[in-house]
Amino acid sequence: GEEGEGPLEGLTVLSMTGRALFFRFLMDRRIIDVNDLPASLRSGGLQGVFSSAERAAQISVWLDETFNGDLLPLVEEITKETPTRERKRLYLQAYQDADKLTEGSVFLHLEVILKGYEAVSKTHVQMMLPGAVDWTDLNFRHIPVGVLSQVYESFSHQWDSDAARTDSVHYTPKNLAKLLVDQALAGLAEPHRAKVLDPACGAGVFLVLAFREIVRRRWEKDRKEKGNDAKRPGKAVIHEVLYKQLCGFDVSESALRLAALGLYVTAIELNEITKPLSELHAPAALKNLVLFNFAPKDSAERKRGFVLGSLGDDVDKSFDGQFDAVIGNPPWTRLKPKGEKEQVKAADKERLKLLNWQFTQIGRRVLQSRKLAQVAKGYHNPEGVPDLPFIWRAMEWLKEGGVAALALDARLILTQSDVGKHARDALFRAVTVTGILNGSDLEKTKVWSNMDMPWLLLWARNEAPPEGSEFHFLTPVREDKFCQKGEFRLDYQAAYPLTVRSVIQRGWLFKALSVGTSLDVEVMDKLAKAQKHQTIGAFWQGNLVTHKGVSLQPRRKQKAPAWLLKLPMFSPPEDTLELAPLKKKVTFEDQYGDLAPYQTCGEKTYAGPLLIVPETPGEGRSTSKSYRVKLNTCFTKSFYGYSAAEHKDAEILIALLHLILHSNLFRHFSYMRSPRIGAGRRTIYKDDVDEFPFPNLEMLSDEDRKEAMELANCIDENRSLDWKRVDTFICRMFGLTTAEAEVVDETVEFNGPYRSTRQPAAAPPTTQELSSFASCLERTLQPLFKIVKQKVRVQAVDHKNGEWNPPWRFVTVLLEGDEFTPPPAFIAKLMRVASETSASRVLMPVPNGGLVMGLLNQRRFWTRSRARLCALHLAGEHLDKNFPLPNRP
């Protein structure tokens, strides 16, 4: 059935499908052959065991008695003690009921799994995986875990789409899950003994990977201690890890059933002995030993939406302080009230308000235990955010010094709201964060398919951060050729060591380093000094009126004020920068009637002259970032308004703000701090505008005023405009140097969040760009050589026209008079070595002094600002080793 509508209940479908999946696994692994089956089933072969109700019932009994474990319970009355005859009778009744309800098609679908039929139509293929995967393409020797997790994601969104969205049911890609698991265990003194918890385990991908890794590390330790006498871990060790070192919580019975199956399958995989089959017999079901369901007992409460589950008081205190690692992907989706009727929605809003208060209490409890009473007192969980409380709760489940490794929403580092920043700062004060991999540039790619939200991976240790605590922050660059394969580059050179103090003092630092480099941080630091004088928001709120536009939903029953009814409505021109006069006065009353809107903001908000700013600024220079309007005009909440009606210098105020919003510097500022631009959305908050500095009017010369008006008029009249003049003017207003303005321009050109920016940035650099990079690098390095009376020469290594575009380009850094031309074979070998490292920069010493430096053959790495960064790296790490000093008398 589609969207939860079908003849069978969801858990029934899952249990039957899971049993067929398990049998397919046994077939593909050659763990069983036809002679292992009961005699009555051998005639149909391995692929025919689910072809009828009678055969399906027989094989279900055989699976239960041969393998035990949690083989996806199908009939509630069946327990471990149920006799064989009664067990078969109950199974037969269940399959006969399914046969009748589906008119026999259930067995077609189960046979599809075993026989590997190709997709023909909806009636001739099992459509469990996204994209209608053909079962013939799957080999269960390699992919049981991934398949089960993807089955669960697809199953959840089909059978209970509302709950799946509320609980953020998303299959975590194996490479990301493995990265979290491997790095978490690597941070422990005895990873082979680690007790691991996944508090929102879903179908168990993290637990399965931890299972495999712990067993591997046990074997590794034995080989170190016993050498050749060490034996591969057997059944006893495997079951000890499974039952004593792994634990999973969830609120979904279907998820826990698949998690149990995944763990059981993995236990079989890890056991090299497959005969006799009794060696694969599980000692006990995992339910309430390894896997725990913390769904509310009242099923009606579960249907209302998000529930506390493992965050609630139902989790026994005996779990606290028991785990060496807490690893997983907890729910992210911000909780929002549901209900078609306002009364129902209002009631749900109150329910979520209570949930958020409980989230807050979890954070405060941990903060108080860390002797951060003042921080705890002011702590509030950001409204409706469910992943933060899982971090706090993980600290209670962990032993002291244990490691949390979690996949989270990137809003944790991108948010600029007061509540969000305070919550983030509280976390960094209470927990020792050791690393963050920021995947916000990889959203909407195959790195995490079906994930449209910016995400991150976080590792943290359960202890208060020491003085001067540092951690590494890495943002992989989006490279489409890798992303199309679900891969990305982990470049250690791009990992910034950050201090806790720096991220608390600079709330925008994470976002700035997500988009730019340390040079962009320097630009932001300079703007911060200008902000201390005054910001746009502070200036307007202190002197004038600024607000979002009129909010129309929901409409009120009373009449709108007369002044609003007669105001003309603002409508931006299409496909042009020019703002034509309001040719036809369409008033608020003409367009919306006389009912009062939800919010009017006050008459002064719409008083001209004013600047109207769209919350979606659009790409590049082709769209207007703001509109100057002379007359009183109403605008909707899709715009922000800045009225200068009550100021004596109204025209110059509006002109300056108009220029700021059209400048590269403001776009750069938005990229550096906005939680929306380049982070899942293409809109800006009003706070992004308000936080930008505003010039001191008293310091403006007559020439500055004249130029500001001229440039603003050029923008509005759509005349031929040198945008460089606008950028230079605004950068000069805030004291930026030529080099800093260059950083701004290059970051906007190559690091913007749009495809129109990303694709050119990944293209190979031109000859002129290579030459410009070499010249800038040489010019920046030369002062370091001047003191010893040497000259340095930087030259791009030639690349013949017409040849293929290599993945790397190179420059030589030599002393004047030295010669070295890297031969093609040398360059080819260097490229192979460089590509294996996942680095974006590689350096090779030249015999008798000098360096060959290679960078990825992408324009974004060959800018002048990148040349200055390379110069800083060379100066700190390589000059004294690779450039001999002249002989002294």
Side-chain angles (χ1 to χ4, degrees):
E2 295 182 0
E3 297 182 358
E5 296 180 0
L8 298 179
E9 292 183 357
L11 280 175
T12 301
V13 172
L14 185 70
S15 294
M16 290 182 175
T17 301
R19 286 168 178 266
L21 283 169
F22 179 65
F23 198 86
R24 171 72 184 269
F25 162 76
L26 297 173
M27 289 168 48
D28 284 355
R29 287 278 173 165
R30 298 179 182 174
I31 293 171
I32 59 172
D33 57 43
V34 71
N35 293 321
D36 293 314
L37 300 179
S40 59
L41 292 177
R42 292 174 189 170
S43 60
L46 292 175
Q47 294 177 324
V49 294
F50 282 99
S51 58
S52 68
E54 175 67 27
R55 294 176 70 83
Q58 287 187 63
I59 200 63
S60 290
V61 171
W62 180 79
L63 288 172
D64 286 358
E65 296 180 346
T66 304
F67 296 96
N68 200 0
D70 292 15
L71 284 176
L72 298 168
L74 181 59
V75 181
E76 289 186 9
E77 294 88 339
I78 294 178
T79 67
K80 190 175 181 179
E81 289 73 29
T82 303
T84 299
R85 179 172 299 202
E86 176 64 9
R87 187 182 295 265
K88 182 179 177 182
R89 185 189 70 79
L90 291 170
Y91 276 135
L92 180 61
Q93 185 63 55
Y95 282 109
Q96 286 175 339
D97 290 345
D99 183 25
K100 183 177 181 180
L101 287 169
T102 64
E103 297 179 353
S105 67
V106 63
F107 300 111
L108 169 66
H109 285 276
L110 295 178
E111 278 193 286
V112 163
I113 297 174
L114 299 186
K115 296 182 178 179
Y117 292 154
E118 295 184 359
V120 177
S121 70
K122 284 191 176 182
T123 58
H124 290 84
V125 70
Q126 174 65 336
M127 303 275 285
M128 286 299 291
L129 298 183
V133 173
D134 293 335
W135 290 103
T136 189
D137 294 335
L138 303 180
N139 187 324
F140 280 70
R141 292 187 184 188
H142 309 293
I143 55 173
V145 177
V147 166
L148 291 177
S149 295
Q150 285 177 286
V151 164
Y152 173 58
E153 179 187 12
S154 179
F155 169 85
S156 299
H157 285 275
Q158 271 194 15
W159 288 86
D160 195 353
S161 57
D162 286 342
R165 285 191 294 269
T166 299
D167 295 343
S168 300
V169 176
H170 292 293
Y171 161 66
T172 311
K174 183 180 177 181
N175 61 333
L176 297 182
K178 191 173 190 311
L179 184 61
L180 277 169
V181 169
D182 290 353
Q183 293 301 311
L185 294 179
L188 300 175
E190 294 185 305
H192 63 289
R193 297 185 183 277
K195 290 187 68 176
V196 176
L197 167 69
D198 183 346
C201 66
V205 64
F206 291 98
L207 292 176
V208 166
L209 291 170
F211 189 7
R212 300 180 71 89
E213 182 63 13
I214 291 171
V215 171
R216 185 189 72 79
R217 285 180 176 270
R218 279 212 175 193
W219 191 12
E220 187 179 73
K221 189 172 188 302
D222 282 348
R223 283 185 294 183
K224 284 182 180 179
E225 293 177 350
K226 301 177 183 178
N228 294 333
D229 293 333
K231 295 183 179 180
R232 179 188 177 109
K235 177 180 178 180
V237 171
I238 291 168
H239 284 163
E240 182 182 357
V241 173
L242 174 58
Y243 287 95
K244 295 185 178 180
Q245 292 183 242
L246 301 177
C247 185
F249 302 157
D250 211 284
V251 296
S252 167
E253 180 62 25
S254 57
L256 290 167
R257 290 186 183 187
L258 278 176
L261 181 58
L263 288 167
Y264 188 42
V265 163
T266 303
I268 294 174
E269 283 185 304
L270 293 171
N271 194 342
E272 64 175 354
I273 301 172
T274 58
K275 299 290 182 178
L277 293 181
S278 59
E279 280 294 313
L280 304 178
H281 192 85
L286 301 181
K287 186 175 182 180
N288 296 329
L289 285 176
V290 176
L291 301 173
F292 299 83
N293 190 338
F294 290 112
K297 295 180 176 61
D298 183 358
S299 59
E301 183 181 350
R302 179 76 182 98
K303 291 179 180 179
R304 292 179 66 185
F306 185 92
V307 293
L308 280 175
S310 57
L311 294 176
D313 295 333
D314 289 343
V315 180
D316 196 276
K317 292 293 183 182
S318 63
F319 288 109
D320 288 0
Q322 294 301 304
F323 299 97
D324 300 284
V326 174
I327 310 172
N329 176 13
W332 302 353
T333 306
R334 187 186 294 272
L335 307 183
K336 296 180 180 179
K338 299 177 181 178
E340 294 182 3
K341 296 181 179 180
E342 284 302 315
Q343 187 176 2
V344 175
K345 198 169 185 178
D348 199 41
K349 187 176 182 179
E350 289 301 310
R351 182 182 73 88
L352 296 185
K353 186 177 179 180
L354 176 59
L355 274 175
N356 202 64
W357 175 245
Q358 292 169 299
F359 293 165
T360 295
Q361 292 303 105
I362 294 171
R364 289 183 176 180
R365 189 170 67 218
V366 177
L367 286 164
Q368 288 170 348
S369 72
R370 304 290 164 97
K371 296 182 171 54
L372 294 169
Q374 283 301 111
V375 179
K377 187 177 180 181
Y379 179 82
H380 293 277
N381 190 73
E383 186 177 358
V385 172
D387 46 354
L388 255 179
F390 273 95
I391 308 177
W392 293 119
R393 194 70 180 90
M395 298 304 130
E396 296 183 316
W397 290 317
L398 284 168
K399 299 175 183 177
E400 185 175 355
V403 174
L406 301 170
L408 304 166
D409 193 310
R411 67 172 159 250
L412 174 66
I413 59 171
L414 300 178
T415 184
Q416 297 297 314
S417 70
D418 289 340
V419 174
K421 285 190 291 186
H422 185 87
R424 180 177 64 217
D425 293 348
L427 181 67
F428 276 87
R429 286 189 172 102
V431 177
T432 300
V433 174
T434 57
I436 294 175
L437 190 151
N438 170 29
S440 58
D441 198 32
L442 304 176
E443 58 164 339
K444 299 181 181 179
T445 70
K446 290 184 179 180
V447 171
W448 197 329
S449 297
N450 303 320
M451 178 55 66
D452 293 338
M453 300 164 65
W455 51 270
L456 62 81
L457 308 182
L458 176 139
W459 292 266
R461 198 173 291 282
N462 184 29
E463 57 191 21
E467 187 68 28
S469 177
E470 281 192 352
F471 62 94
H472 282 88
F473 178 69
L474 173 62
T475 300
V477 174
R478 179 170 172 169
E479 298 178 70
D480 287 342
K481 67 176 182 179
F482 289 141
C483 290
Q484 288 168 2
K485 298 184 290 183
E487 300 174 352
F488 58 92
R489 186 187 304 274
L490 272 175
D491 182 0
Y492 77 96
Q493 293 177 342
Y496 289 95
L498 302 179
T499 65
V500 170
R501 182 179 180 182
S502 67
V503 300
I504 291 176
Q505 289 179 337
R506 301 176 174 113
W508 44 263
L509 185 59
F510 284 123
K511 179 66 190 300
L513 292 176
S514 299
V515 176
T517 67
S518 57
L519 297 180
D520 296 278
V521 173
E522 292 176 7
V523 172
M524 289 293 287
D525 282 339
K526 179 165 278 191
L527 288 179
K529 293 179 181 178
Q531 284 175 309
K532 290 180 180 179
H533 170 67
Q534 69 180 8
T535 62
I536 291 172
F539 180 86
W540 248 265
Q541 289 171 8
N543 299 274
L544 304 165
V545 179
T546 176
H547 212 284
K548 289 189 71 169
V550 64
S551 178
L552 296 166
Q553 295 296 333
R555 301 296 291 277
R556 295 179 177 177
K557 294 182 179 180
Q558 59 264 41
K559 300 294 184 182
W563 62 265
L564 178 61
L565 294 174
K566 302 307 177 186
L567 276 184
M569 289 299 302
F570 173 74
S571 179
E574 296 180 1
D575 302 323
T576 177
L577 287 171
E578 181 180 1
L579 176 60
L582 296 171
K583 297 176 182 177
K584 182 181 179 182
K585 286 190 176 182
V586 178
T587 66
F588 180 91
E589 186 176 22
D590 292 335
Q591 192 160 342
Y592 299 112
D594 62 355
L595 289 182
Y598 176 71
Q599 187 178 36
T600 57
C601 308
E603 187 173 1
K604 290 184 178 180
T605 300
Y606 310 105
L610 74 157
L611 195 76
I612 297 177
V613 183
E615 67 173 4
T616 305
E619 300 180 31
R621 306 279 198 175
S622 61
T623 56
S624 280
K625 316 305 178 190
S626 58
Y627 303 92
R628 290 191 299 172
V629 179
K630 292 183 178 180
L631 304 176
N632 295 2
T633 304
C634 184
F635 51 92
T636 66
K637 67 176 183 178
S638 297
F639 299 90
Y640 313 127
Y642 292 81
S643 171
E646 298 184 3
H647 200 281
K648 62 179 181 178
D649 278 332
E651 285 194 0
I652 191 65
L653 285 181
I654 297 299
L656 283 170
L657 187 52
H658 197 40
L659 289 176
I660 286 172
L661 294 174
H662 280 87
S663 70
N664 265 352
L665 185 58
F666 179 76
R667 291 176 69 194
H668 179 273
F669 183 80
S670 298
Y671 294 173
M672 294 298 107
R673 77 176 304 281
S674 174
R676 285 186 169 187
I677 291 288
R681 297 189 183 182
R682 301 296 180 257
T683 57
I684 59 174
Y685 287 117
K686 189 173 182 296
D687 287 348
D688 299 328
V689 180
D690 288 345
E691 287 299 313
F692 193 86
F694 195 68
N696 186 344
L697 292 182
E698 296 177 359
M699 301 296 291
L700 287 180
S701 65
D702 291 341
E703 289 77 12
D704 289 337
R705 289 171 177 259
K706 181 179 178 181
E707 186 175 5
M709 293 304 301
E710 179 187 347
L711 291 173
N713 290 336
C714 286
I715 291 174
D716 288 349
E717 294 167 9
N718 202 20
R719 293 187 298 186
S720 178
L721 175 62
D722 180 5
W723 287 107
K724 186 67 178 175
R725 280 188 63 196
V726 174
D727 296 331
T728 300
F729 178 80
I730 296 301
C731 284
R732 180 164 56 83
M733 289 291 100
F734 301 105
L736 267 63
T737 65
T738 301
E740 289 166 339
E742 206 169 68
V743 171
V744 169
D745 291 343
E746 289 177 348
T747 297
V748 169
E749 181 178 0
F750 295 112
N751 293 16
Y754 308 108
R755 180 182 296 179
S756 58
T757 301
R758 186 178 291 117
Q759 290 181 340
T766 65
T767 302
Q768 178 58 42
E769 287 168 335
L770 289 169
S771 177
S772 178
F773 176 94
S775 297
C776 185
L777 179 58
E778 180 181 299
R779 193 165 55 251
T780 309
L781 287 174
Q782 185 54 50
L784 303 174
F785 288 85
K786 187 176 181 180
I787 193 171
V788 291
K789 298 181 180 180
Q790 292 177 331
K791 287 188 177 181
V792 68
R793 290 287 179 262
V794 180
Q795 288 185 318
V797 176
D798 287 340
H799 173 63
K800 294 181 181 179
N801 293 330
E803 292 185 4
W804 66 292
N805 282 318
W808 295 79
R809 292 300 303 270
F810 297 87
V811 295
T812 56
V813 184
L814 304 169
L815 293 177
E816 188 177 49
D818 290 349
E819 295 290 338
F820 179 74
T821 302
F826 173 86
I827 292 294
K829 185 175 182 180
L830 195 53
M831 281 195 290
R832 284 197 300 272
V833 172
S835 296
E836 291 171 358
T837 66
S838 294
S840 57
R841 179 175 60 214
V842 63
L843 289 154
M844 177 69 73
V846 172
N848 302 319
L851 291 166
V852 176
M853 182 173 70
L855 299 174
L856 287 174
N857 192 20
Q858 301 172 27
R859 294 177 68 203
R860 58 180 151 221
F861 294 108
W862 291 91
T863 63
R864 291 182 292 274
S865 55
R866 288 280 183 169
R868 287 192 285 276
L869 282 175
C870 286
L872 292 172
H873 176 73
L874 294 180
E877 303 290 336
H878 296 280
L879 292 194
D880 57 338
K881 303 174 186 175
N882 298 291
F883 293 90
L885 292 172
N887 293 327
R888 295 181 179 178

